[in-house]
Amino acid sequence: MSHLPYLAAGWILLAGIFGMVTSRNLVHVVVCLSVTQSATYVLLLTIGYRKGGTAPVFSDIKPTGKVVDPVVQAMALTDIVVNATVTALLLALAVQVAKRRGTIDPDQLRPLE
Amino acid sequence: MVQAAIAAPALVAVLLAAGGRWLPRPLVDAVATGTVLAVTVLLGAVLAAALRHPVVAWLGGWRPRGGVSAGIPLVADPMAAGLALLVAVLTLAALVFSWRYLVEVQAIYHALMLLFTAAMCAFVLTGDLFDAFVFFELMSVIAYVLTGYKAEEPRTVHGALNFGVINSLGAYVTLMGIGLLYARTGQLGFAAMGARLPGQDHRLVTVAFALVCTGFLVKAAAVPFHFWLADAHAVAPTPVCVLFSGVMVELGVYAVARTYWATFAGAVPGAGPALASLGVVTALLGGVMCVLQRHVKRLLAYSTVSHVGVILLGVAALDHASLAGAAYYLLGHAGVKSALFIAAGTLLNRFETLDERELHGRGRRMRVPGAVFLIGGLGLAGMPPSGLWAGKSLMDEAAERAGWWWAAPVGVVASALTAGAVLRVWLRVFRGVGPSGEGTDEHEDTETGPRMSRLPWTMLAPAIVLAGGAVVLGLITGLIHGVSHAAGLFVDQRGYVAAVLSGGAWHAASEPLHPWTAAGVIGGAAGVVLAVPVAVLGLRRPAPRLLRPAVDRLRAAHSGHVGEYAAWLTAGVALFGLLLFTA
């Protein structure tokens, strides 16, 4: 079992967080958040991978064949739905920030204190 | 029965969202409140059943066979059922308060509140870690929407955005942890995972615990994951704040406790000290930040941070008596803090501002909100026989047995700081004590539309009931016994696994606990006595010169900059992991 996919997942997570921390644009922040979530897809699919396994669809193959783990695929799908909701909502909020504050640079937004 | 308590509000929410715009507002109010009332009754029945024997419901009838499960359970042990009941009761109070308070909202607000209730109850009752993540996200997304409900105000959308980004980032880190656990155990249920965890690689289990806890600790606003909380609480509509501070934030601590005892018990030796460190820092920093605020809702928000730190400290003792104390503390805190937020809402309605100095002396004739602030302040200080005092007393006793002598003083300091700040608001706003200050002239929307000549009973009654109930909780011995029984079951991992996977018996022997100890009463009195100088000194205008650089630095750290918050979160994960390994 190769460690590379696990390292890739960690790398994507860190890259996304780095983008969020250094970002000068709220839309960019939201997209970076999606990037961090992509790390979870990679991790989940890696966990379910079986060498030589096919997709876990049993309509045209024998149920005895080797398949990858369907549970993580269901989890990744759920995860994608969550991502779509969160991203859409946060982008809408970013649009509102732009309208009400006239800027989407986190450095320019006055503190909330 | 358990499923119905989650499905009913979700279903009514969908109907209200679809057809609510054609209904008159009183009917929408009636439908929403009626639904939550029904859920409350239903959860009361679940709790009564759970007290006899914990209720396990397998969704879709996918029961485990021979101790192996492929289904998703809902588990209503007394602790979970009781917490879900608290969610329902607080939602009821928030909705009654909203009748006259939020006059301009549409049916979609009610739909969101119902969905929020359903999501919180489901999060509490689920027996499956991945489902917990899904319900966590569902509850969070609705919370972002409710925070940003008044989308025309710039602060509101900014606060909601910070809340959304930080909470979601935490949730994804949790999902990474869930993935690691699944890779090792091939299971997602708390019980099924817990049964297979012994014998796994110790390092991997510890890393997974750190990752899984991250999202929950973000929700629980443990330092350094707490930055979003004040930003969101200061801008969210008041009835929503009642739910946020009263129970949603505490659900984070509940989730940490549930994950630990159902799955990780014994497998992560560093968990206790690591969580305790976070708890202590959270309790103290929250208290200090609370004293520094002049915006009443922000002040209450930081007080929540501080009290959740105390609850986290109670959980961290990893002992059933301490857990019972933490649960009782949570209960008392929920009542007091909800009532305080409602009272703050009435101030906002009257004077279109929540700046404490601008409000100087203007609340003299508001007798009920004034009384709520006084009672609330004393309750937060831990005055016997309030619920916070009883919980604190039980926690302190357990900490003493574990050799954590420093836990009791930390609790006293946190109570004194937060209660002192609330009492200061009471003195300044409702009694007109201290110099009158000039405000910032920044006016907020009243949330209510037109100003009311008299406060209606629907706005006052929830505050009176919640605050009044919370300050006498320590006298209800039956409830204390019930909570200690619930905590006894909660920490019994073998019982949990047996009950969920094979329908086995789940009985925990627990000795009855008594908060009326000499040390407990002295601790409560110390909190009240120390709160008075904090309040009186706070009335003087400037902070002492010696402390000013530190104060400025603290304020600068809470900048509202989302990137900085994300950096703190990352540092927090690393720190928590390090503590788990070294402690």
Side-chain angles (χ1 to χ4, degrees):
Chain A
M1 183 96 211
S2 163
H3 288 292
L4 194 62
Y6 290 96
L7 291 178
W11 175 256
I12 296 171
L13 181 76
L14 291 178
I17 293 175
F18 178 78
M20 288 166 72
V21 172
T22 56
S23 179
R24 301 291 303 272
N25 183 321
L26 284 179
V27 175
H28 180 248
V29 170
V30 176
V31 174
C32 285
L33 186 67
S34 293
V35 172
T36 59
Q37 188 159 21
S38 309
T40 61
Y41 310 153
V42 174
L43 182 73
L44 287 175
L45 295 182
T46 307
I47 286 165
Y49 182 70
R50 302 283 176 276
K51 206 159 188 180
T54 62
V57 181
F58 295 107
S59 58
D60 54 353
I61 58 167
K62 278 183 195 148
T64 48
K66 195 177 186 184
V67 295
V68 300
D69 188 348
V71 174
V72 290
Q73 302 203 342
M75 285 163 77
L77 263 178
T78 315
D79 199 13
I80 289 168
V81 174
V82 168
N83 183 17
T85 319
V86 171
T87 308
L89 179 65
L90 291 181
L91 284 176
L93 286 172
V95 170
Q96 284 294 332
V97 170
K99 274 193 193 158
R100 308 294 164 192
R101 286 241 159 142
T103 177
I104 43 170
D105 182 350
D107 295 338
Q108 306 267 313
L109 291 169
R110 266 183 312 132
L112 285 156
E113 286 270 325
Chain B
M1 201 158 64
V2 189
Q3 294 99 314
I6 298 166
L11 201 66
V12 177
V14 172
L15 294 177
L16 273 183
R21 75 187 69 172
W22 293 290
L23 297 178
R25 172 68 196 269
L27 188 61
V28 174
D29 275 327
V31 169
T33 317
T35 309
V36 178
L37 196 62
V39 171
T40 311
V41 173
L42 213 54
L43 286 169
V46 170
L47 178 60
L51 279 171
R52 287 192 301 276
H53 191 271
V55 183
V56 182
W58 290 89
L59 297 178
W62 288 82
R63 305 182 152 279
R65 295 218 184 109
V68 179
S69 80
I72 297 171
L74 292 173
V75 184
D77 60 318
M79 189 71 88
L83 202 53
L85 184 61
L86 177 68
V87 169
V89 169
L90 286 186
T91 314
L92 200 58
L95 280 177
V96 170
F97 179 64
S98 308
W99 284 352
R100 297 289 303 276
Y101 185 73
L102 293 172
V103 283
E104 280 166 3
V105 293
Q106 318 273 319
I108 194 75
Y109 165 79
H110 299 82
L112 285 168
M113 287 292 262
L114 287 176
L115 214 48
F116 193 38
T117 316
M120 285 198 283
C121 288
F123 179 66
V124 171
L125 292 169
T126 187
D128 182 274
L129 192 53
F130 184 70
D131 257 30
F133 162 78
V134 173
F135 288 128
F136 181 89
E137 276 292 51
L138 178 61
M139 137 179 126
S140 301
V141 166
I142 300 164
Y144 314 152
V145 180
L146 284 170
T147 307
Y149 193 81
K150 292 182 295 171
E152 61 281 357
E153 283 209 32
R155 287 159 177 277
T156 306
V157 280
H158 186 188
L161 191 74
N162 284 356
F163 179 21
V165 170
I166 298 303
N167 263 261
S168 296
L169 181 58
Y172 303 153
V173 176
T174 293
L175 185 57
M176 301 285 272
I178 296 173
L180 291 184
L181 281 177
Y182 178 76
R184 276 302 155 129
T185 60
Q187 294 288 340
L188 287 169
F190 286 126
M193 252 180 205
R196 295 191 185 196
L197 219 50
Q200 299 288 355
D201 179 4
H202 157 69
R203 284 166 305 172
L204 187 110
V205 171
T206 308
V207 169
F209 182 71
L211 294 178
V212 169
C213 282
T214 301
F216 302 149
L217 288 172
V218 171
K219 186 59 85 185
V223 174
F225 308 111
H226 68 288
F227 293 93
W228 63 270
L229 186 139
D231 290 357
H233 278 61
V235 299
T238 305
V240 176
C241 286
V242 168
L243 288 183
F244 280 11
S245 251
V247 72
M248 180 190 77
V249 174
E250 287 78 357
L251 290 191
V253 183
Y254 164 82
V256 170
R258 173 62 86 200
T259 326
Y260 178 79
W261 270 295
T263 305
F264 287 94
V268 188
L275 289 172
S277 327
L278 290 190
V280 169
V281 179
T282 308
L284 296 179
L285 186 73
V288 171
M289 286 306 292
C290 176
V291 172
L292 295 178
Q293 304 304 314
R294 51 190 278 189
H295 184 279
V296 178
K297 267 197 202 171
R298 268 189 99 82
L299 182 148
L300 293 176
Y302 278 113
S303 130
T304 300
V305 172
S306 177
H307 289 283
V308 171
V310 175
I311 297 175
L312 194 59
L313 185 56
V315 168
L318 302 183
D319 160 272
H320 97 268
S322 185
L323 182 75
Y328 217 74
Y329 195 86
L330 190 160
L331 202 58
H333 175 261
V336 168
K337 193 54 64 68
S338 309
L340 282 172
F341 266 111
I342 291 177
T346 61
L347 283 176
L348 182 58
N349 167 245
R350 270 300 160 91
F351 306 115
E352 305 187 359
T353 178
L354 274 173
D355 187 307
E356 184 191 327
R357 294 189 191 161
E358 236 178 283
L359 288 168
H360 178 272
R362 290 165 79 179
R364 276 203 193 90
R365 299 183 57 195
M366 299 174 73
R367 263 177 292 165
V368 174
V372 168
F373 261 86
L374 176 62
I375 296 173
L378 292 175
L380 291 185
M383 184 186 70
S386 69
L388 288 116
W389 164 78
K392 189 79 190 49
S393 174
L394 296 181
M395 282 192 277
D396 287 350
E397 209 187 328
E400 196 69 44
R401 273 203 303 273
W404 290 5
W405 57 267
W406 39 265
V410 165
V412 169
V413 171
S415 317
L417 287 172
T418 54
V422 170
L423 289 175
R424 185 189 75 207
V425 173
W426 175 71
L427 284 172
R428 190 175 269 154
V429 176
F430 296 99
R431 314 287 333 162
V433 182
S436 72
E438 69 290 341
T440 46
D441 283 335
E442 251 188 72
H443 283 256
E444 298 182 33
D445 268 2
T446 56
E447 297 182 344
T448 37
R451 218 187 104 167
M452 294 164 195
S453 54
R454 279 195 67 201
L455 292 172
W457 70 268
T458 52
M459 282 164 63
L460 298 176
I464 298 171
V465 172
L466 289 170
V471 289
V472 295
L473 268 184
L475 294 175
I476 310 172
T477 350
L479 193 57
I480 298 178
H481 288 171
V483 169
S484 59
H485 169 67
L489 287 176
F490 195 91
V491 301
D492 177 17
Q493 193 202 14
R494 231 176 266 166
Y496 181 87
V497 172
V500 172
L501 290 185
S502 50
W506 186 6
H507 296 293
S510 59
E511 80 276 26
L513 301 167
H514 296 287
W516 290 99
T517 56
V521 175
I522 292 171
V528 178
V529 169
L530 286 176
V532 174
V534 172
V536 173
L537 287 177
L539 287 171
R540 283 181 35 201
R541 198 70 67 79
R545 187 166 298 165
L546 202 67
L547 293 175
R548 217 168 290 166
V551 168
D552 287 345
R553 199 162 297 171
L554 267 185
R555 279 187 196 279
H558 296 76
S559 58
H561 189 294
V562 68
E564 287 181 14
Y565 292 1
W568 277 110
L569 189 149
T570 319
V573 179
L575 179 77
F576 185 54
L578 204 67
L579 281 172
L580 282 175
F581 274 107
T582 53

